[in-house]
Amino acid sequence: MERGVPIRAISRGLAVLAAINRDGPISMMGIARAAEVPYPTACRIVQTLQHEGLIEKEPARKRYRVTSLVKTLSTGFQNEDQLVAAGRGHIEALCRDVGWPISLVTRVGTRMMVRDSTHKMTSLTFSHYYPGYTLPIAECATGKVYLAFCDEEERNAIVEGWKAIETEASNMGLLLLSDDYMLRKIRHDGYALQVRNVYNADPGKTSSIAVPLFDGDDRLIGALGLIYFVSAMSSAEAAERYLGALQATARAIRGSLIDLAGGALGDAEAAE
């Protein structure tokens, strides 16, 4: 094993596929940089993915994009469509009220993935974060609040994932959990902060505050985040101004999830 990764070739292949899926259409040099693999390795992996039909080259440009075949990789995955359906109206209302963009985020492996956001609704943003955009779980407010409120078994699974990939972000995650002070504080306060986000589209320009999201059975399903300009306010001011509204929105989303679940159960009983 190289650097603790059981099969390095598979790890690199997945990184290349993720880079093309996230940033494509993308050049070969861009793939190598985004996936953090040597250029010759990126070339061989791209050829393999083309052979398998998962990616294709654009006819007029030397850029690569995923094909519809990648959708087959998600067969059997229960997505968060219900969360988006329950949350969309609430995050739109919150965005109109506070002005700042709001994101619904869930965990995918060792990263947090945007499921829905209101970035396009407001001018108070540098970038529009589309569904599918991911951030390292320990380097964003939504990830920190998720780590604090998830159960020990799930947290241990995340740690094992960090140990397998050995990146700067994963090492920071392991350092974060080496002392449970921060997680205990987040649980006590009910929210998490990330000052000067580094791993987003505008490094160092924004900060964020997040609260946990629970379903009707009190299971942790994700997090709700508010993103603001670093220059606009301090983290203490952000918490004072927006924590109550975020928590109220999280409760409203939970209520909508309960209503949706009840409606689905009623439809099923009627069908019987």
Side-chain angles (χ1 to χ4, degrees):
M1 293 192 296
E2 181 184 354
R3 295 180 62 196
V5 179
I7 305 178
R8 192 52 145 183
I10 293 178
S11 179
R12 287 177 165 177
L14 292 172
V16 166
L17 182 58
I20 299 171
N21 182 57
R22 181 180 65 243
D23 301 327
I26 184 173
S27 68
M28 187 69 75
M29 183 60 72
I31 293 169
R33 289 173 178 169
E36 299 181 351
V37 300
Y39 185 86
T41 301
C43 291
R44 293 194 298 272
I45 293 173
V46 164
Q47 289 173 350
T48 302
L49 293 173
Q50 280 184 284
H51 173 75
E52 297 297 331
L54 292 168
I55 68 170
E56 63 187 5
K57 183 193 285 188
E58 287 194 328
R61 299 190 299 171
K62 292 182 178 180
R63 290 178 175 270
Y64 299 86
R65 63 192 180 196
V66 296
T67 71
S68 59
L69 192 61
V70 299
K71 293 180 180 179
T72 63
L73 300 177
S74 64
T75 301
F77 173 70
Q78 184 178 359
N79 62 29
E80 282 76 18
D81 287 346
Q82 194 173 54
L83 173 59
V84 173
R88 182 65 197 180
H90 297 297
I91 65 174
E92 286 183 352
L94 181 57
C95 182
R96 286 192 294 267
D97 185 39
V98 303
W100 299 108
I102 310 298
S103 292
L104 282 173
V105 186
T106 61
R107 181 180 76 87
V108 178
T110 59
R111 302 180 73 84
M112 298 300 288
M113 177 179 287
V114 175
R115 297 299 179 181
D116 199 7
S117 79
T118 63
H119 281 81
K120 290 185 178 181
M121 285 182 55
T122 176
S123 60
L124 296 180
T125 183
F126 292 115
S127 301
H128 293 162
Y129 292 93
Y130 52 86
Y133 190 91
T134 64
L135 292 163
I137 193 169
E139 295 293 335
C140 57
T142 53
K144 288 179 177 178
V145 82
Y146 194 92
L147 283 169
F149 282 90
C150 70
D151 60 36
E152 185 176 359
E153 181 179 357
E154 185 173 6
R155 196 177 301 116
N156 288 340
I158 294 168
V159 168
E160 290 304 310
W162 280 335
K163 290 178 179 178
I165 56 179
E166 292 189 22
T167 63
E168 181 179 353
S170 67
N171 290 336
M172 286 299 296
L174 292 171
L175 181 62
L176 174 69
L177 294 190
S178 64
D179 184 344
D180 68 350
Y181 169 78
M182 179 175 290
L183 299 188
R184 285 190 287 106
K185 183 177 184 344
I186 291 170
R187 285 192 292 269
H188 175 269
D189 295 342
Y191 69 94
L193 294 162
Q194 178 69 28
V195 179
R196 294 187 180 275
N197 295 294
V198 175
Y199 288 88
N200 62 358
D202 305 284
K205 294 182 179 180
T206 62
S207 294
S208 53
I209 177 172
V211 297
L213 282 173
F214 297 93
D215 67 9
D217 296 319
D218 290 326
R219 292 177 300 192
L220 180 68
I221 57 172
L224 183 70
L226 180 150
I227 302 90
Y228 59 93
F229 299 153
V230 168
S231 59
M233 71 192 89
S234 68
S235 57
E237 289 173 321
E240 182 178 355
R241 294 181 188 179
Y242 304 121
L243 176 59
L246 278 169
Q247 291 176 329
T249 301
R251 289 193 296 270
I253 292 172
R254 179 179 181 274
S256 292
L257 283 168
I258 293 173
D259 291 341
L260 283 176
L265 180 60
D267 291 342
E269 291 175 346
E272 291 176 359

